[in-house]
Amino acid sequence: MSTIKKFAGQTAIYGLSTIISRMIYFILTPIYTRTLTVGANGVFTTVYGSASIINNILAFGMETTYFRYLQKRSDSKQQVYNNAFGVIIAVSLLFLVFALFFLDPIVNYMQAGVVKDHADYTFYVKCFLVILVLDAFCVMPFAKLRAEGRPMKYAIIKCSNIALVMALNLFFLFGVPFMISHHLPGSTWMVSWFRPHWVGYVFLANAIASGLTILLLLPEVLQLRLKFDVAMYREMFTYSWPVLIANLSYIINESLDKVMLKQILPAGIADRDVGIYGTCAKIALFLSLFVNAFKLGAEPFFFSHAKNKNAGDTYARIMNYFVIMVAVICVGLVANINILATFIVGKETHLVKNHIVHNPFWQGLGVVPPLLFGYLSLGIYMNLSVWYKLSDQTKYGLYISGIGAILTILLNWLLIPQYSYMASAWISFAAYATMMVLSYIWGQKNYPIPYNLKKNLAYIMVSGLFVFLSFKVFNRNIFVGNGLLLLFAAGAYYFERRELKAIFKRG
């Protein structure tokens, strides 16, 4: 089997469960938009945005460090696991103590000027403390499964988590109201505590599912030994903390804009605009899924093949096909954006007492193209980042991500007051594109890999042109958009057909 085919297989195995999981969240989105208010969706988006940043801090870059040191210290795999897992446990427990001590100030910050519902926000924060700590404890057991080549268990646990989330959401949002309205057994008790359309049930469902996940990973958790190698830890720490900052840059671009929208916009419109932005951004979910699936497969693959003679050529070929795939997905999502928007948030307009009422979520569709090309840039950056991870020069990841984070924070602070969430979408694209360019320039100087720059740029530019034509010029016409998609895909196949046939002919 060729190396490229092997990489594709690993990406599919480890990425499929993530795609399925995120697809369930994609299905849940229209449920939230139809059963919760726009403001409630804004609360949901804001809290999750804050949590995702903290979750990466708790992981402390140890997942990537674990893969690297399994290669560097192959004679001490158990100790590498002990060190990496031990750091995450220590950081998570310290965070939990700190958060509980400052619980009221944290709740007041999350409310951002909302004088009522203090008890509700307290409940949201407590749920997320549970979710954050349990999810952090799961990082190394999941990494161990990937390193040991146990994709089926990895997939089963991931899918079990999201299945429980979905089941509990449906139970609280639809099952309980049905039981109460039909006076089924237990309905009298349910009336005493049930609150219709309460966003707290969404948080509670996630907390319970995180508990299930840690139970399913208990065999891997129990493999931890309370033996800490200080000398090895110092070396791992030097490698990991720049990786942590690099990961935070991704989370900042993904989530901090929503938090800043909540804080900067007037209280009367903040939750509404955050809800619109967060919901419309989910249309770009498919490309984000592909990027995340790529990362899951790429990280262990790149480390395990670093010593191969033709590793650079392999990385360059992977980049070629990655760019083609993400470009096709960009064009395809924009071509069918009206269908996706209708599925997620409902029709663009509807009649109410003989008056046409416009769906407020549709006004945010303009964020989708820049977010898509932001994800494209992010995926290329993840591919390019192999050079500083393999050469133990993770300080460059710190430099690059630091620049991206500064751009995100500064430009959002300057432009949100005037342009609201549209500014956030374009700033996300600009930050990722800057990181991509810097990584390529520094990488070619420090760890040259023979990427086909002209070919990759050509695919990106043509896909950008087709997206502009589909979205702006032809006003999201589904027939024209899909015609452009077929044209782009056919052109890519024509230019790549010889190499594709060669790959699939190899054993």
Side-chain angles (χ1 to χ4, degrees):
M1 180 179 290
S2 72
T3 304
I4 299 295
K5 287 172 70 176
K6 183 176 181 180
F7 171 77
Q10 290 183 354
T11 301
I13 292 171
Y14 293 110
L16 185 59
S17 59
T18 299
I19 292 173
I20 293 173
S21 298
R22 297 296 182 88
M23 283 296 295
I24 298 298
Y25 274 117
F26 184 80
I27 294 171
L28 285 173
T29 298
I31 295 175
Y32 294 153
T33 58
R34 288 166 173 81
T35 58
L36 304 175
T37 65
V38 175
N41 276 278
V43 172
F44 180 74
T45 301
T46 301
V47 176
Y48 266 87
S50 302
S52 59
I53 295 173
I54 300 170
N55 211 20
N56 269 264
I57 295 175
L58 301 185
F60 213 79
M62 281 295 161
E63 186 179 36
T64 300
T65 305
Y66 174 66
F67 289 129
R68 175 58 174 153
Y69 275 79
L70 284 180
Q71 179 205 12
K72 290 184 67 174
R73 305 289 291 271
S74 58
D75 58 333
S76 305
K77 292 182 179 181
Q78 179 62 50
Q79 191 58 58
V80 172
Y81 184 68
N82 295 343
N83 276 17
F85 203 169
V87 169
I88 292 177
I89 291 175
V91 172
S92 299
L93 293 179
L94 182 64
F95 162 77
L96 181 61
V97 172
F98 178 86
L100 290 174
F101 186 79
F102 291 99
L103 184 62
D104 282 341
I106 292 172
V107 171
N108 292 333
Y109 170 78
M110 295 303 300
Q111 284 185 270
V114 179
V115 295
K116 60 180 181 178
D117 300 333
H118 182 83
D120 284 350
Y121 274 86
T122 301
F123 179 82
Y124 306 155
V125 172
K126 287 181 177 179
C127 279
F128 261 89
L129 291 179
V130 173
I131 295 167
L132 287 167
V133 172
L134 291 181
D135 286 356
F137 285 180
C138 292
V139 169
M140 290 315 304
F142 273 129
K144 187 174 180 62
L145 291 178
R146 290 165 61 196
E148 295 176 352
R150 291 190 282 167
M152 288 306 298
K153 183 170 183 177
Y154 179 97
I156 289 170
I157 295 175
K158 285 283 187 179
C159 292
S160 297
N161 174 283
I162 196 62
L164 183 58
V165 169
M166 186 170 189
L168 290 173
N169 271 275
L170 294 176
F171 174 73
F172 286 125
L173 296 178
F174 298 103
V176 175
F178 178 84
M179 295 176 71
I180 292 175
S181 64
H182 289 77
H183 306 289
L184 297 178
S187 60
T188 303
W189 170 71
M190 291 177 181
V191 169
S192 66
W193 56 262
F194 181 69
R195 295 172 57 182
H197 312 300
W198 187 47
V199 70
Y201 296 129
V202 178
F203 303 143
L204 179 61
N206 280 268
I208 295 172
S210 293
L212 172 67
T213 301
I214 197 69
L215 287 176
L216 294 176
L217 286 168
L218 202 56
E220 284 67 42
V221 173
L222 294 177
Q223 290 182 38
L224 173 67
R225 300 291 178 265
L226 299 178
K227 183 180 178 182
F228 204 69
D229 187 324
V230 177
M232 183 190 293
Y233 167 70
R234 291 195 187 101
E235 188 179 340
M236 293 175 69
F237 177 80
T238 302
Y239 184 94
S240 69
W241 74 266
V243 175
L244 165 64
I245 303 302
N247 290 341
L248 282 178
S249 176
Y250 165 69
I251 299 301
I252 286 174
N253 281 282
E254 281 291 282
S255 307
L256 191 61
D257 52 358
K258 302 173 185 68
V259 177
M260 293 183 72
L261 282 166
K262 170 75 172 179
Q263 300 299 319
I264 294 174
L265 292 175
I269 66 170
D271 279 343
R272 183 203 67 188
D273 277 19
V274 173
I276 291 172
Y277 178 47
T279 303
C280 290
K282 287 181 172 63
I283 296 176
L285 176 67
F286 289 103
L287 187 55
S288 174
L289 292 177
F290 182 81
V291 170
N292 286 326
F294 169 81
K295 182 181 179 183
L296 284 171
E299 205 161 46
F301 177 87
F302 285 164
F303 283 124
S304 64
H305 285 74
K307 296 180 181 179
N308 290 5
K309 181 179 179 180
N310 298 320
D313 293 331
T314 299
Y315 300 154
R317 293 175 67 196
I318 289 173
M319 173 70 87
N320 291 342
Y321 293 109
F322 176 82
V323 169
I324 293 170
M325 286 299 301
V326 293
V328 169
I329 294 172
C330 282
V331 177
L333 288 175
V334 173
N336 297 283
I337 192 170
N338 285 357
I339 296 175
L340 296 170
T342 301
F343 174 75
I344 294 175
V345 301
K347 294 182 179 180
E348 184 173 5
T349 60
H350 58 277
L351 285 175
V352 177
K353 297 180 179 179
N354 296 323
H355 292 286
I356 297 177
V357 178
H358 290 270
N359 187 329
F361 288 103
W362 278 71
Q363 71 187 53
L365 291 183
V367 306
V368 176
L371 287 176
L372 286 174
F373 281 92
Y375 283 131
L376 182 149
S377 302
L378 172 66
I380 295 174
Y381 167 70
M382 287 180 176
N383 204 321
L384 292 169
S385 67
V386 63
W387 73 267
Y388 65 74
K389 293 178 180 178
L390 291 177
S391 62
D392 292 340
Q393 299 184 75
T394 51
K395 63 181 181 181
Y396 282 98
L398 170 62
Y399 303 152
I400 296 168
S401 61
I403 292 171
I406 291 170
L407 282 175
T408 297
I409 295 170
L410 180 61
L411 293 178
N412 270 291
W413 182 71
L414 291 173
L415 299 178
I416 280 177
Q418 185 173 357
Y419 300 104
S420 188
Y421 53 77
M422 283 303 303
S424 297
W426 282 102
I427 291 165
S428 180
F429 169 48
Y432 285 143
T434 301
M435 292 166 60
M436 172 185 68
V437 172
L438 289 175
S439 186
Y440 177 79
I441 293 173
W442 280 336
Q444 293 305 98
K445 290 181 179 179
N446 291 278
Y447 193 94
I449 295 174
Y451 296 116
N452 194 328
L453 182 61
K454 292 182 179 179
K455 176 191 284 190
N456 293 332
L457 282 177
Y459 280 119
I460 294 170
M461 293 174 67
V462 173
S463 66
L465 173 62
F466 281 17
V467 165
F468 175 77
L469 292 173
S470 179
F471 191 88
K472 282 288 187 181
V473 177
F474 294 101
N475 196 29
R476 308 194 304 269
N477 182 286
I478 187 172
F479 299 105
V480 174
N482 281 287
L484 292 171
L485 170 62
L486 291 174
L487 179 61
F488 185 83
Y493 176 77
Y494 176 79
F495 289 111
E496 306 297 330
R497 66 191 187 281
R498 291 182 180 177
E499 191 165 353
L500 286 172
K501 290 178 180 178
I503 290 173
F504 287 107
K505 281 182 179 179
R506 292 170 188 160

